[in-house]
């Protein structure tokens, strides 16, 4: 029997357990960070457990108060058993409770299963995003020649980053 749990945050052990679950599929990732969510009191991580073991999770990223991004992962051995549908129903119930009007489903472009799930629930394709990951330092010579500078930024850079994003994508601040 599948047990569903809704969380506003994850304990260290739950985060580790989720990381182990995601290792089942190379490149799988769920955004569990909730510090940017508009409604921090809203549950944002939904877990599916079978005999106490994590078999699926759905995460909500909702920095705006009208639209939420949903991403999910279900263990390969538990797919096509209603786990995702149960997680989605639980998340949608929470989103309705907080007045969210629309959902944006994040689907891995490499996943035929993700595309099939999106089609089954009636989701329409909107756009594609790409993610980049930097692993390790760039060779000093290459970085110097390109003018590339990598540095960690904190809250002091929010205004300048927002202006840069707005200019690059034609968005408002």
């Amino acid at each position: 029997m599948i047990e569903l749990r809704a969380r506003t945050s994850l304990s260290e052990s739950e985060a580790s357990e989720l990381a182990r679950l995601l290792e089942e599929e190379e490149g799988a990732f769920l955004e569990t960070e909730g510090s940017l969510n508009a409604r921090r009191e809203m549950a944002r991580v939904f877990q599916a457990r079978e005999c106490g073991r994590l078999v699926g999770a759905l995460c909500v990223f909702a920095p705006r108060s009208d639209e939420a991004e949903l991403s999910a992962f279900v263990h390969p051995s538990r797919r096509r058993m209603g786990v995702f549908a149960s997680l989605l129903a639980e998340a949608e119930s929470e989103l309705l409770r907080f007045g969210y009007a629309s959902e944006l489903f994040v689907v891995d472009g490499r996943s035929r299963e993700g595309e099939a799930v999106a089609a089954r629930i009636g989701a329409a394709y909107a756009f594609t995003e790409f993610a980049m990951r930097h692993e390790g330092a760039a060779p000093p010579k290459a970085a110097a020649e390109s003018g590339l500078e990598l540095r960690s930024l904190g809250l002091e850079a929010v205004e300048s980053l927002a202006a840069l994003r707005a200019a690059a994508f034609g968005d408002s601040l």
Side-chain angles (χ1 to χ4, degrees):
M1 184 172 129
I2 300 291
E3 172 195 359
L4 299 178
R5 294 182 186 172
R7 300 280 191 255
T8 56
S9 63
L10 292 176
S11 68
E12 207 171 294
S13 65
E14 288 173 322
S16 295
E17 187 178 21
L18 179 57
R20 286 191 301 276
L21 175 69
L22 294 172
E23 288 173 1
E24 296 289 329
E25 198 160 299
E26 185 180 331
F29 175 78
L30 294 180
E31 180 57 70
T32 59
E33 175 58 46
S35 64
L36 296 177
N37 282 6
R39 305 219 192 322
R40 293 194 183 153
E41 68 277 14
M42 180 179 73
R44 61 182 170 79
V45 180
F46 299 85
Q47 303 172 332
R49 296 182 167 280
E50 186 174 46
C51 300
R53 184 175 154 252
L54 186 65
V55 296
L58 183 146
C59 296
V60 176
F61 176 65
R64 298 173 17 184
S65 58
D66 62 332
E67 179 182 75
E69 288 186 21
L70 306 173
S71 57
F73 181 82
V74 175
H75 188 280
S77 69
R78 296 299 180 264
R79 293 179 183 162
R80 293 180 182 77
M81 301 174 116
V83 175
F84 171 74
S86 297
L87 287 166
L88 179 60
E90 194 78 8
E92 286 180 330
S93 175
E94 182 77 344
L95 290 167
L96 281 173
R97 203 167 71 83
F98 283 86
Y100 280 84
S102 65
E103 300 164 358
L104 180 66
F105 288 90
V106 178
V107 178
D108 184 342
R110 301 168 299 163
S111 170
R112 295 277 183 238
E113 288 177 330
E115 290 176 12
V117 168
R120 266 197 309 280
I121 62 172
Y125 173 81
F127 60 89
T128 299
E129 286 185 359
F130 295 93
M132 296 187 302
R133 184 181 328 175
H134 174 68
E135 295 179 3
K141 183 178 179 185
E145 289 173 1
S146 70
L148 177 66
E149 178 185 354
L150 296 177
R151 58 187 164 127
S152 183
L153 298 174
L155 290 176
E156 76 285 348
V158 168
E159 287 183 25
S160 61
L161 290 174
L164 178 64
R165 184 186 190 287
F169 296 103
D171 288 340
S172 68
L173 287 176

